[in-house]
C-alpha cells in the first residue's frame, strides 16, 4: 500500500530538511564533538520537523533495529531504569549505537522525570536519548512539575522555527505536488495553503494529496 505523501517524502538526509537552518547549524556544531553520549530535547509546532530531525539524529547513531521509540505517557520510573540497564551493551550492526526516542515528552510523569535526571547524567558514549514535544506541551510540563527545568538542563535543546516558514514549505509542497501530478496552482496558492495550515507540512501534504490543488 502506498505511503501517505507526508511519510513518502519525509527527509531521509539533513540536506532535505526544509526551513530549520538554525537547528541544523546547532546539530552540526555538536557533531564535531559527537552526537551520542547525550540527550536531545526537540520542541516545535506540529508539522515543522520534530519527528524528522529526531529520526535523522537517531540514524546517525544506530541502525533502524536499534532505534527504540516510547510514548512518554506510558513510561514508568522502573521502565526507565530497565532501559538504562539495557543500554550499556553495544549493538550488533553497521552502527553499534542505540537511540532511545521519547515522543510526546510533555506526558512524562514526575517520578519518571526524576529518574531521568539521574539516568541522563550517565549516558554511555554509544547511546543517545531524544525527546520530542510541542511548544504548548513543553509549557504544560513546566506548569506540571518543578523538575522540568533540571531535566532540560541535561539536554541539548533544539527549538524549531515556527514562523517565516511559508515560502520554503510552499516551494517544497509544490515540488511534491508536481512529482505526483497533483499540481495545478501557482506558487501563491501554496503560500496561502502554508498560511492556512500554520506551516504544518504534514497537513499541507494531506491537502495536496486530496487533489485540492489540481487545476479547476
Amino acid at each position: 500500500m502506498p505511503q501517505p505523501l507526508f511519510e513518502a517524502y519525509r527527509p531521509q538526509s539533513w540536506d532535505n530538511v526544509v526551513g530549520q537552518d538554525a537547528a541544523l547549524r546547532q546539530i552540526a556544531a555538536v557533531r564535531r564533538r559527537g552526537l551520542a553520549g547525550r540527550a536531545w530535547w526537540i520542541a516545535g509546532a506540529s508539522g515543522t520537523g520534530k519527528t524528522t530531525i529526531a529520526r535523522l539524529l537517531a540514524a546517525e547513531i544506530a541502525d533502524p533495529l536499534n532505534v527504540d521509540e516510547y510514548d512518554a505517557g506510558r513510561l514508568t520510573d522502573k521502565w526507565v531504569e530497565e532501559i538504562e540497564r539495557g543500554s550499556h551493551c553495544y549493538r550488533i550492526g553497521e552502527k553499534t549505537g542505540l537511540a532511545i526516542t521519547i515522543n510526546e515528552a510533555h506526558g512524562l510523569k514526575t517520578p519518571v522525570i526524576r529518574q531521568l535526571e539521574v539516568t541522563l547524567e550517565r549516558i554511555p558514549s554509544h547511546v543517545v536519548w531524544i525527546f520530542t514535544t510541542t511548544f504548548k506541551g513543553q509549557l504544560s510540563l513546566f506548569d506540571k512539575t518543578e523538575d522540568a527545568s533540571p531535566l532540560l538542563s541535561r539536554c541539548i535543546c533544539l527549538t524549531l522555527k515556527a514562523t517565516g516558514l511559508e515560502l520554503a514549505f510552499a516551494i517544497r509542497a509544490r515540488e511534491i505536488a508536481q512529482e505526483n501530478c497533483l499540481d495545478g496552482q501557482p506558487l501563491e496558492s501554496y503560500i496561502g495553503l502554508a498560511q492556512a495550515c500554520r506551516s504544518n507540512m504534514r497537513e499541507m501534504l494531506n491537502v495536496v494529496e486530496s487533489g485540492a490543488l489540481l487545476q479547476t
Side-chain angles (χ1 to χ4, degrees):
M1 180 180 295
Q3 291 180 306
L5 287 182
F6 70 84
E7 279 296 348
Y9 284 86
R10 186 182 295 279
Q12 300 299 309
S13 72
W14 296 113
D15 290 340
N16 293 326
V17 175
V18 175
Q20 299 298 343
D21 293 347
L24 297 189
R25 285 194 296 271
Q26 194 174 351
I27 292 167
V30 177
R31 185 184 286 108
R32 300 186 189 107
R33 298 180 60 85
L35 298 177
R38 305 175 185 277
W40 297 77
W41 184 276
I42 306 172
S46 294
T48 56
K50 295 188 302 298
T51 298
T52 292
I53 289 175
R55 290 182 180 177
L56 289 173
L57 275 172
E60 290 217 19
I61 307 303
D63 287 343
L65 289 176
N66 297 324
V67 177
D68 296 336
E69 293 195 22
Y70 301 92
D71 183 342
R74 298 181 61 191
L75 284 178
T76 65
D77 51 337
K78 297 299 182 184
W79 198 353
V80 172
E81 287 186 74
E82 290 179 12
I83 294 170
E84 181 186 2
R85 280 195 295 271
S87 72
H88 288 279
C89 297
Y90 284 87
R91 270 33 186 187
I92 297 174
E94 182 178 345
K95 300 170 186 173
T96 58
L98 170 66
I100 302 160
T101 300
I102 310 298
N103 297 314
E104 308 295 335
H106 48 273
L108 292 169
K109 302 176 179 67
T110 299
V112 175
I113 291 173
R114 290 177 179 165
Q115 179 59 46
L116 283 167
E117 288 171 5
V118 176
T119 297
L120 300 185
E121 288 285 346
R122 52 196 187 202
I123 303 174
S125 61
H126 63 285
V127 176
V128 63
W129 286 74
I130 305 168
F131 300 86
T132 67
T133 185
T134 61
F135 292 135
K136 288 183 179 179
Q138 182 169 298
L139 289 174
S140 72
L141 186 65
F142 273 86
D143 289 339
K144 182 173 67 175
T145 175
E146 61 184 13
D147 294 302
S149 182
L151 173 63
L152 265 67
S153 73
R154 289 160 169 79
C155 302
I156 295 174
C157 295
L158 299 177
T159 301
L160 301 192
K161 186 177 179 181
T163 59
L165 296 169
E166 291 86 358
L167 179 58
F169 277 24
I171 290 171
R172 182 58 182 146
R174 190 183 187 199
E175 290 173 348
I176 293 170
Q178 290 172 338
E179 287 182 24
N180 290 273
C181 300
L182 291 167
D183 170 55
Q185 300 297 327
L187 180 60
E188 288 74 14
S189 295
Y190 290 86
I191 293 173
L193 175 63
Q195 292 168 341
C197 294
R198 299 182 181 180
S199 295
N200 183 325
M201 180 63 86
R202 179 173 55 251
E203 185 176 346
M204 289 175 67
L205 291 182
N206 280 335
V207 173
V208 168
E209 193 162 20
S210 76
L213 290 167
L214 287 167
Q215 189 171 8
T216 56

